[in-house]
Amino acid sequence: MTNPSFKTRLARHDIVLAPGVYDALSALVAERAGFEALYLSGASIAYTRLGRSDVGLTTYTEVADTLARITERVSLPVIVDADTGFGNALNTQRTVRGFERAGAAMVQIEDQTFPKRCGHLDGKAVVPEREMVGKLKAALDARTSSDTLILARTDAVAVEGLEAALDRAEAYLACGVDALFIEALRSPEQMDAACRRFGDRVPLLANMVEGGKTPIQDADALQKHGFRIAIFPGGTARAVVHTLQGYYASLHQHRTTQPWRSQMLDFEELNEVVGTPDLIRNGQKYE
């Protein structure tokens, strides 16, 4: 499944706000909330499927499986985090082909070494620019439709400095990628510098990580800088964990869910969210 509408949507200069999701249920709730696109975060898959940190432990197959379950359930375009492509240029081609079959609207590939780590953790390293250019060319060659977009991410700000990161982004753009992501910009001034150089030429993505390196701004402020995509990738997992901590503490203390009932959906309400009545009616057509 391809998403030509997402390519058309990004041609506009008003920003796309894409919340982070990590499974079909979170994607469904986000779609019902009215968003235009979703961001499938590699970090959130590590948090939720593995109960681990974003340090390169997730695999191609785990992300592809999660992506396929999401796109089977919702119709919104999904930007999917492909980490480093899960290997060299040939691995990157396999990743792009697989994610395209699984319904990705945009595939993000970054220039970290393997094992990679969260873009807002210290201690990152990046591959040589030439190696990343080769991966991006391989990714572009691998897709079967130009409506499957390739997003190039550089983590070089933390390793080589802002100017080197912008120069890397320039080289990646020259490959023909559809969007750029300059990770972990440190200040509004750095954000402005990135947007001055690229904002009128290609969609730029801003990554909002609560407690991370980049100052948190709302989507309207990011649009004023010149960004065209804003993601809040890990906020969903952080909100869910916060809620679960309270829920489990209450259940452990009170030995019942009654004190938490006002903060929960009941049985029927959850069935309405996941579409149980429609599913049952559809099944009855075949009885």
Side-chain angles (χ1 to χ4, degrees):
M1 180 177 67
T2 60
N3 295 273
S5 61
F6 192 52
K7 185 174 186 178
T8 302
R9 173 63 183 86
L10 287 179
R12 291 161 37 189
H13 282 262
D14 53 318
I15 199 162
V16 173
L17 174 59
V21 299
Y22 55 81
D23 64 5
L25 180 60
S26 59
L28 178 62
V29 175
E31 182 179 56
R32 287 168 58 97
F35 290 98
E36 295 183 84
L38 306 173
Y39 183 85
L40 178 54
S41 161
S44 290
I45 293 175
Y47 301 152
T48 58
R49 292 193 64 160
L50 308 180
R52 297 288 186 182
S53 305
D54 181 20
V55 290
L57 297 175
T58 53
T59 63
Y60 157 78
T61 51
E62 288 165 335
V63 180
D65 177 70
T66 304
L67 173 64
R69 293 176 188 274
I70 289 170
T71 58
E72 188 272 333
R73 187 66 184 91
V74 303
S75 59
L76 293 181
V78 179
I79 306 166
V80 58
D81 180 1
D83 286 346
T84 63
F86 302 101
N88 62 15
L90 295 180
N91 295 108
T92 299
Q93 288 197 314
R94 178 178 184 241
T95 296
V96 170
R97 291 186 185 113
F99 287 4
E100 185 177 49
R101 287 194 302 271
M106 176 179 278
V107 180
Q108 172 191 310
I109 302 164
E110 67 193 52
D111 59 6
Q112 282 197 57
T113 57
F114 183 84
K116 59 81 45 114
R117 60 179 59 194
C118 172
H120 291 255
L121 289 174
D122 294 328
K124 296 186 296 183
V126 292
V127 299
E129 179 184 301
R130 180 178 178 181
E131 181 178 339
M132 180 61 174
V133 165
K135 282 189 181 184
L136 293 174
K137 289 179 177 178
L140 292 163
D141 286 345
R143 62 184 179 180
T144 61
S145 170
S146 62
D147 290 322
T148 303
L149 307 181
I150 303 298
L151 168 63
R153 165 175 149 178
T154 179
D155 285 70
V157 171
V159 182
E160 301 173 342
L162 177 64
E163 289 305 316
L166 296 180
D167 288 343
R168 277 177 173 260
E170 191 74 61
Y172 303 164
L173 180 58
C175 295
V177 299
D178 302 286
L180 291 175
F181 175 3
I182 302 167
E183 173 65 300
L185 293 164
R186 297 298 203 266
S187 66
E189 292 74 24
Q190 288 193 350
M191 297 164 83
D192 282 336
C195 290
R196 278 196 303 270
R197 185 155 174 181
F198 298 108
D200 290 332
R201 301 162 59 196
V202 66
L204 275 179
L205 181 147
N207 182 19
M208 298 289 98
V209 176
E210 299 81 4
K213 306 289 188 184
T214 305
I216 294 289
Q217 299 184 21
D218 64 37
D220 293 337
L222 294 170
Q223 180 176 311
K224 289 178 181 177
H225 282 290
F227 293 100
R228 275 190 255 170
I229 309 170
I231 61 171
F232 287 74
T236 304
R238 280 184 276 279
V240 167
V241 170
H242 179 72
T243 300
L244 287 177
Q245 285 177 330
Y247 168 78
Y248 287 132
S250 176
L251 178 58
H252 186 267
Q253 177 184 353
H254 299 288
R255 308 181 71 78
T256 176
T257 58
Q258 287 301 110
W260 205 259
R261 285 292 298 276
S262 65
Q263 300 176 71
M264 299 169 60
L265 299 182
D266 66 19
F267 181 75
E268 294 300 331
E269 289 169 330
L270 181 57
N271 275 302
E272 190 277 327
V273 170
V274 300
T276 302
D278 290 340
L279 197 64
I280 290 174
R281 281 192 294 270
N282 187 52
Q284 289 172 341
K285 295 189 302 186
Y286 304 103
E287 292 178 355

